[in-house]
Amino acid sequence: MPIKNRFAEMLPEITGWRHHLHENPELLYEVRETAAFVADRLREFGVDEVVEGVGQTGVVGIIRGRGASVRAIGLRADMDALPIQEATGLPYASKVAGKMHACGHDGHTAMLLGAAKYLAETRNFDGTVVLIFQPAEEGGAGAKAMIDDGLFERFPVNEVYGIHNAPGIPIGTFVTRPGPLQASSDEFEIVVTGKGGHAAEPHRAIDTTLVAAHLLIALHSIVSRNVDPLKRVVLTVGTFSTDSAASNIIPDEARMEGTVRTLDPEYRQLAEARIRQVAEHTAAAFGAQAKVIWHPGYPVTVNDPDGAARAVDAARAVARDVIDDADPIMPSEDFSYMLERVPGAYVFMGNGDSAMCHHPKYVFDDEAIPFGCSFFAELVERRLPTA
């Protein structure tokens, strides 16, 4: 196997860490026990510096190598779980009702801990490794919170890398690409206000349900008629409701909520502008009003071309297979904030034939752990070589 032998030896220990984290999931910024577990392990490994409470509950570890190089590399893992009731039946299933590591962040954290132990033992690099354990990736923008708390000013790095497991890709396979890898994610609410009335007398009302139905259809013309067919934009309305539960009432208000995903910042701006225009003018055509509430989300995850090439080189040294020209995907990732500040790359690592992420039967495959640990360690040793 191409993985580093030390990680094959450490696999039972690292797997134990992951199972502990899996049994005790925490959400968003409430990852206090997880962060304490991470900090305790880092101190046990002899990491040179451990700083807690970065970006509320993030943890940063510093490992200094041999020599006098001032270069530094950042490695990031996310720690938070999801509000999902687990249905795997595993012996180490979540002990917390309604919470589950359904996206594999327990695996990401365990892999970075494994890499940290190896790097602290060997110190086979010249420079500094900054270990970034981040809260609140799942919708809380924890990466941004850590950056706003001075992450890269307090712990400067020249480049930064992260991993996410990928169900459906064979274990031992790494996948990435230069440029846009994952989409931005913005959410919107549209509130249509009209004039309620009796269903038998629609001429005395302004029917918000009808207005909202026309608006729902019109919104989907934005992608088909305002976006270059060779570009990728997804617009989805996920909820539609009114303030009435009666079949013989025309409601005063109708509301819908949705999301926009794109790989191009230009189309991100265009989508917001067109949603506002379509909503306001469609409502006005019926004598109603529409208010758009915009919730900016994560930016596009853009891999630096050199960073992607370096990640591919490291992956080839430890992987069974590497795909370096993958198609971008439309889910989003807040590692994008880090890549806006520091060059680097994000990569996907095969998780085998498991349920998809965010599914109650999703399982992180522990056989993938040595590959993730080896990738992190190989990156460091290649990017910070000793004399």
Side-chain angles (χ1 to χ4, degrees):
M1 292 177 68
I3 60 170
K4 293 182 181 293
N5 290 335
R6 180 70 177 109
F7 294 120
E9 297 169 2
M10 292 169 58
L11 181 56
E13 181 180 23
I14 302 172
T15 299
W17 299 336
R18 188 188 79 78
H19 291 186
H20 168 80
L21 295 171
H22 191 88
E23 287 180 317
N24 299 279
E26 297 175 295
L27 306 181
L28 295 170
Y29 291 97
E30 300 301 314
V31 290
R32 291 179 175 83
E33 291 185 10
T34 303
F37 179 87
V38 166
D40 287 345
R41 297 293 80 70
L42 294 179
R43 293 188 181 101
E44 287 175 6
F45 305 158
V47 167
D48 296 301
E49 187 177 351
V50 179
V51 181
E52 300 178 72
V54 181
Q56 297 187 42
T57 47
V59 179
V60 175
I62 305 296
I63 306 175
R64 298 182 181 90
R66 306 170 187 175
S69 173
V70 296
R71 290 192 59 79
I73 184 170
L75 306 175
R76 174 268 203 172
D78 35 18
M79 301 187 289
D80 58 319
L82 284 158
I84 292 175
Q85 181 63 44
E86 183 163 353
T88 63
L90 292 167
Y92 57 88
S94 171
K95 297 177 180 177
V96 185
K99 298 179 184 180
M100 176 192 175
H101 271 292
C103 205
H105 295 186
D106 52 340
H108 304 164
T109 296
M111 290 189 301
L112 188 51
L113 283 174
K117 182 171 183 177
Y118 169 87
L119 293 168
E121 288 175 347
T122 60
R123 310 274 175 163
N124 189 32
F125 59 94
D126 183 8
T128 301
V129 177
V130 178
L131 309 160
I132 304 166
F133 294 88
Q134 178 208 306
E137 190 281 325
E138 297 289 358
K144 184 175 186 300
M146 293 188 79
I147 291 168
D148 290 346
D149 198 18
L151 174 65
F152 293 130
E153 290 76 26
R154 297 162 65 184
F155 316 99
V157 296
N158 301 99
E159 48 199 283
V160 65
Y161 299 89
I163 291 178
H164 202 293
N165 74 94
I169 295 175
I171 290 173
T173 299
F174 286 80
V175 176
T176 192
R177 72 184 305 275
L181 178 68
Q182 292 189 253
S184 60
S185 61
D186 299 315
E187 295 185 353
F188 60 86
E189 301 174 52
I190 302 176
V191 182
V192 178
T193 305
K195 181 180 178 183
H198 198 290
E201 298 180 315
H203 60 292
R204 297 179 181 274
I206 298 175
D207 190 342
T208 51
T209 304
L210 178 64
V211 176
H214 277 272
L215 173 54
L216 176 62
I217 294 170
L219 286 173
H220 288 283
S221 70
I222 294 173
V223 173
S224 64
R225 289 298 175 266
N226 296 125
V227 175
D228 183 335
L230 299 179
K231 300 291 185 178
R232 297 192 189 187
V233 178
V234 174
L235 187 158
T236 298
V237 174
T239 71
F240 189 114
S241 61
T242 73
D243 63 355
S244 171
S247 62
N248 63 344
I249 295 293
I250 293 173
D252 282 310
E253 182 180 287
R255 177 184 293 266
M256 62 183 74
E257 299 179 18
T259 184
V260 176
R261 311 292 178 110
T262 177
L263 295 166
D264 189 324
E266 174 188 353
Y267 281 114
R268 189 182 186 192
Q269 295 176 1
L270 175 109
E272 179 182 359
R274 289 295 292 138
I275 287 171
R276 292 185 185 278
Q277 292 167 352
V278 169
E280 292 167 1
H281 290 287
T282 300
F286 289 89
Q289 294 181 321
K291 178 182 178 182
V292 177
I293 305 162
W294 193 260
H295 301 287
Y298 299 165
V300 181
T301 302
V302 182
N303 280 344
D304 172 69
D306 290 339
R310 293 162 185 159
V312 166
D313 285 344
R316 285 192 173 128
V318 301
R320 292 170 176 161
D321 190 20
V322 177
I323 299 170
D324 61 5
D325 59 351
D327 284 336
I329 62 172
M330 301 313 284
S332 60
E333 165 60 56
D334 78 343
F335 190 67
S336 54
Y337 290 109
M338 295 192 183
L339 290 176
E340 285 185 330
R341 293 288 300 273
V342 179
Y346 200 56
V347 303
F348 295 108
M349 179 191 74
N351 193 57
D353 186 20
S354 69
M356 298 307 293
C357 292
H358 292 223
H359 190 281
K361 291 187 177 180
Y362 162 86
V363 177
F364 182 93
D365 196 321
D366 293 321
E367 294 302 312
I369 287 174
F371 291 97
C373 295
S374 296
F375 171 76
F376 278 139
E378 188 70 21
L379 261 175
V380 170
E381 293 174 349
R382 283 173 176 260
R383 297 302 304 143
L384 303 175
T386 56

